[in-house]
Amino acid sequence: MFLKCTERHKDGKTHRYWSVVENRRLAKGRIAQRHVLYLGEINDSQQQAWRHTVEVFDEGRARQLALVAHEAVALNETDIVSLRINELSLHRPREFGACWLAGVLWNQLALSEFWEARLPASRKGTRWAAVLQTLVTYRLLDPGSEWRLHRHWFTSSAMGDLLDADFTLAEKDTLYRCLDKLLPHKDELIQFLTRRWGELFAVRFDVLLYDLTSTYVESDTPREAEDLRQYGYSRDKRGDCRQVVIGLIVTPEGFPLSYEVLAGNTADCTTLGDFLKRIEARYGKANRIWVMDRGVPTEATLAHMRAMGASYLVGTPKGRLTQLEGDLLAKPWQQVRAGLQVKQLPRAGETYVLAASEKRVSKERAMRKRRLKKYLATLKQLHAKPPARDQLLMRIGAARKAAGRAGGLVTLTLPRATDGVTAETFRFVLDRKKLRRQRRREGRYLLRTNLTGDDPAPLWTFYVQLTEVEQAFKELKHDLAIRPLYHQLEHRIEAHIFVAFLAYCLHVTLKHQLRQRAPGLTPRAVLEKFKTIQMIDVRIPTSDGRTLTLCRYTQPEPEHRMLLDVLRLQLPAQPPPKITADQLHAADTGVA
């Protein structure tokens, strides 16, 4: 195995992506390369660490082991049972490695201890804590409906073996009844996880990132006035479906501090006040820094935060930059670090910070050039061979939407309904005044804060960390498939999101461990790699009519052992063998 680098030029910047690659020898002396792990972009020190790890686990030579022990073992004839090796059969291949890793994360967070105290077994013996662990593991590894878990996933996984349970965990009604028991424990769970992450990773919760997203509901139940499922602005471009809004608070490392499920027609600017009260009630008053995007807080909310002593850092709309541009021009630039300059403008107990990033300038300028070039090429093509007016308007509309903000830099003259499409009725020209103004603002952000201090560098660092909460939403929607929602009952919709939240807690725990020990790897890549470790039942008939059953997981490949080493984990011992008697043979011979 070795490290392989691939270069890609995008948006005016060169990116280097790294992978662990293995050479496989083929027939006729040929060699093919197999990508083992994708590491993404890593720095020089991380690259050297991976090279050392790959060298340690690169097995170029095979060892031969003796099939017969050197020392003879004395046995009585009565102790010997012959095995019919020629009748050996393999049964029930099922996924083991990823299920086991999810169980390790579950135990690291001490969730068994938490839930067994709150979800004790029923009088019929239903282990509700194990049912919940099954639901969360399913959501983490192969998300889908509860019906699919019942019908397919449980029997194709090793959850029964790992939890020492049978199919009672995956009965359809049991899964839904488990969902009905979860919501009363939500606040206790969040506080428990906050303490646990502090113990494991020394996570601090003094900087909080807050944002909202939405997910849509696929259900045909009639809309109720007080129901969470309402029509509203959809981030998923599904305005035809009812939806719910999810507000999430995370740390800069991605650890969630709280979340709430709100009605689908809730405006972003109305949500922050309730969150402030909940966080203060749960964790007391503290000098926390709230980092938010420009659409979340209102002037009244910011005034309330100043009154209660809370600190904030928020983005501002582009219009505010226009208002303050004259005052900011008189302020000198301060060099924060290489490629980043700021200007500060105090105003009535607040400070406006204008940040200019060279990297963001290059990126935004390259994006704008690419979109504008494509938009102008489409307009030139339509101008050279103009279609009918209706077709022209449709194609211009599609091109304008794809161009985004770059489309506003072109002034169009379109034919009226009574005119034909000619060179006089259809014209376009690049607005160079707008282009110059946009060029001046590319890579520049106006921030607003009530934090005091002379060093503006942390402010920019805090604000760019808002991408962490956006990444959390991306993982919830894509990796954990929180959308769409199919439940018909409102409380089960909330329980569905609660299970996804628990799965995200396991996800972010693994993600933090990978950042420390295996940078470049994503939790999804690691889970997919561990899915290839399977468990299988090996059944060998014996000469006395019984069957020896060996439940065995497949031995880890070099890439698995490399991951186990960097995560400092060790696979459990193989399960003990089981021997069962054939019922007909036992009845005839008296063998029990």
Side-chain angles (χ1 to χ4, degrees):
M1 290 188 291
F2 59 95
L3 283 185
K4 182 178 180 180
C5 179
T6 302
E7 290 191 359
R8 182 185 179 191
H9 301 278
K10 180 182 178 183
D11 297 331
K13 185 179 178 182
T14 301
H15 301 266
R16 291 181 175 85
Y17 302 98
W18 295 85
S19 300
V20 179
V21 178
E22 178 188 33
N23 279 339
R24 284 289 182 96
R25 191 170 297 279
L26 307 179
K28 299 181 180 179
R30 294 186 298 117
I31 293 178
Q33 292 184 350
R34 181 178 76 95
H35 281 254
V36 178
L37 293 170
Y38 174 72
L39 304 178
E41 294 185 277
I42 56 178
N43 59 37
D44 293 341
S45 61
Q46 294 166 350
Q47 176 189 340
Q48 292 301 321
W50 272 112
R51 288 193 187 278
H52 176 70
T53 302
V54 169
E55 289 172 1
V56 170
F57 285 89
D58 184 18
E59 293 189 344
R61 300 181 303 274
R63 291 189 303 158
Q64 291 186 351
L65 300 178
L67 297 178
V68 181
H70 292 291
E71 297 182 3
V73 180
L75 293 174
N76 298 321
E77 292 186 1
T78 56
D79 296 329
I80 299 176
V81 176
S82 300
L83 301 179
R84 300 174 181 173
I85 300 297
N86 61 330
E87 297 181 25
L88 179 148
S89 58
L90 306 178
H91 299 263
R92 292 187 59 220
R94 52 203 184 274
E95 186 180 298
F96 172 81
C99 297
W100 168 78
L101 181 57
V104 170
L105 298 171
W106 182 271
N107 292 329
Q108 286 176 349
L109 294 179
L111 289 173
S112 294
E113 172 189 338
F114 177 87
W115 284 112
E116 285 174 2
R118 291 160 179 80
L119 297 179
S122 68
R123 287 180 296 176
K124 294 183 179 180
T126 303
R127 295 164 53 194
W128 293 113
V131 176
L132 176 58
Q133 184 176 349
T134 303
L135 282 166
V136 174
T137 303
Y138 172 61
R139 180 60 47 185
L140 177 67
L141 303 183
D142 192 14
S145 65
E146 285 76 11
W147 170 248
R148 179 172 171 269
L149 188 159
H150 159 79
R151 180 175 55 87
H152 167 72
W153 185 80
F154 186 82
T155 55
S156 64
S157 74
M159 287 302 297
D161 304 87
L162 291 167
L163 297 177
D164 192 21
D166 55 20
F167 191 72
T168 54
L169 296 183
E171 290 188 66
K172 180 168 60 70
D173 293 340
T174 300
L175 297 174
Y176 288 113
R177 289 204 305 272
C178 183
L179 292 178
D180 299 337
K181 298 175 179 290
L182 303 180
L183 293 178
H185 309 291
K186 172 185 166 184
D187 288 349
E188 287 182 280
L189 173 72
I190 292 175
Q191 295 183 52
F192 176 83
L193 288 173
T194 303
R195 292 193 300 270
R196 188 61 182 155
W197 282 319
E199 296 168 0
L200 291 174
F201 308 116
V203 179
R204 300 181 61 185
F205 296 89
D206 50 0
V207 178
L208 303 180
L209 315 177
Y210 175 59
D211 206 351
L212 299 103
T213 191
S214 62
T215 183
Y216 58 95
V217 182
E218 293 279 6
S219 64
D220 53 3
T221 55
R223 180 170 63 180
E224 301 293 339
E226 302 300 326
D227 199 330
L228 290 175
R229 294 165 289 184
Q230 300 290 335
Y231 289 99
Y233 171 66
S234 174
R235 281 87 167 171
D236 303 320
K237 312 300 181 184
R238 289 301 305 268
D240 58 319
C241 296
R242 285 183 289 160
Q243 63 177 2
V244 296
V245 171
I246 303 172
L248 182 64
I249 300 175
V250 302
T251 68
E253 297 82 15
F255 292 100
L257 184 65
S258 183
Y259 84 95
E260 295 296 335
V261 183
L262 309 167
N265 56 359
T266 303
D268 292 1
C269 59
T270 63
T271 62
L272 183 58
D274 290 338
F275 267 90
L276 290 171
K277 294 177 183 177
R278 291 190 182 98
I279 296 301
E280 185 176 319
R282 287 175 186 165
Y283 307 103
K285 291 186 177 181
N287 188 24
R288 300 184 182 91
I289 303 173
W290 290 77
V291 185
M292 299 161 284
D293 213 346
R294 59 179 178 268
V296 175
T298 62
E299 291 294 334
T301 305
L302 294 179
H304 174 66
M305 294 180 74
R306 290 193 294 270
M308 64 184 292
S311 302
Y312 58 81
L313 174 65
V314 299
T316 59
K318 293 289 186 181
R320 186 65 61 91
L321 179 57
T322 303
Q323 297 173 14
L324 301 176
E325 197 165 19
D327 296 331
L328 286 168
L329 284 174
K331 298 290 183 179
W333 286 105
Q334 296 176 258
Q335 190 76 25
V336 174
R337 60 172 183 266
L340 179 62
Q341 294 179 315
V342 297
K343 290 184 177 185
Q344 297 188 76
L345 179 65
R347 278 289 178 91
E350 294 182 316
T351 301
Y352 289 90
V353 179
L354 178 64
S357 170
E358 292 181 5
K359 291 183 178 180
R360 296 296 301 181
V361 169
S362 301
K363 181 174 181 178
E364 293 183 12
R365 191 159 293 172
M367 292 170 61
R368 186 254 306 159
K369 285 181 178 179
R370 185 177 69 252
R371 292 177 179 177
L372 182 59
K373 182 178 179 181
K374 186 176 180 181
Y375 184 44
L376 290 173
T378 302
L379 294 177
K380 290 177 181 178
Q381 181 183 5
L382 294 174
H383 190 267
K385 296 182 179 180
R389 180 180 179 274
D390 291 345
Q391 186 69 17
L392 174 71
L393 297 180
M394 291 175 62
R395 293 183 62 180
I396 289 178
R400 176 68 174 80
K401 182 178 180 181
R405 290 182 180 177
L409 302 176
V410 178
T411 302
L412 291 172
T413 301
L414 298 175
R416 294 176 294 182
T418 57
D419 297 336
V421 181
T422 65
E424 295 298 325
T425 58
F426 170 45
R427 301 191 304 274
F428 62 92
V429 62
L430 180 64
D431 191 330
R432 299 190 178 277
K433 184 178 180 181
K434 283 185 179 181
L435 177 60
R436 286 192 294 269
R437 183 166 62 248
Q438 183 164 329
R439 282 178 57 87
R440 289 197 303 268
R441 295 186 177 181
E442 285 171 342
R444 299 187 179 187
Y445 297 88
L446 184 63
L447 310 179
R448 179 181 181 183
T449 181
N450 65 341
L451 290 168
T452 58
D454 297 329
D455 186 9
L459 301 178
W460 172 255
T461 303
F462 291 155
Y463 187 71
V464 296
Q465 286 171 341
L466 269 179
T467 55
E468 193 65 42
V469 70
E470 296 172 359
Q471 181 64 27
F473 287 140
K474 186 182 298 184
E475 290 164 355
L476 280 168
K477 290 186 175 184
H478 296 281
D479 291 350
L480 306 178
I482 200 174
R483 63 179 180 186
L485 300 167
Y486 292 101
H487 290 284
Q488 305 296 311
L489 302 178
E490 183 181 14
H491 71 276
R492 284 187 179 164
I493 289 177
E494 292 191 68
H496 173 94
I497 297 172
F498 182 81
V499 170
F501 173 79
L502 263 175
Y504 175 70
C505 292
L506 301 185
H507 188 278
V508 75
T509 301
L510 177 59
K511 183 178 181 179
H512 192 72
Q513 293 177 0
L514 292 173
R515 280 178 177 172
Q516 294 177 328
R517 304 169 187 170
L521 278 181
T522 64
R524 180 55 50 195
V526 172
L527 292 171
E528 291 296 330
K529 186 61 63 175
F530 271 94
K531 281 182 181 181
T532 58
I533 300 180
Q534 297 281 302
M535 176 170 274
I536 198 165
D537 291 346
V538 182
R539 296 181 184 175
I540 309 174
T542 64
S543 57
D544 60 357
R546 293 182 292 177
T547 301
L548 178 67
T549 302
L550 302 171
C551 295
R552 291 292 182 267
Y553 58 79
T554 56
Q555 291 301 307
E557 298 293 333
E559 58 261 34
H560 297 130
R561 287 188 275 120
M562 182 168 57
L563 291 174
L564 289 169
D565 181 70
V566 297
L567 291 173
R568 301 172 190 171
L569 298 176
Q570 186 175 358
L571 286 171
Q574 297 279 11
K578 301 176 183 179
I579 189 163
T580 57
D582 181 79
Q583 295 299 321
L584 293 177
H585 183 80
D588 293 338
T589 62
V591 177

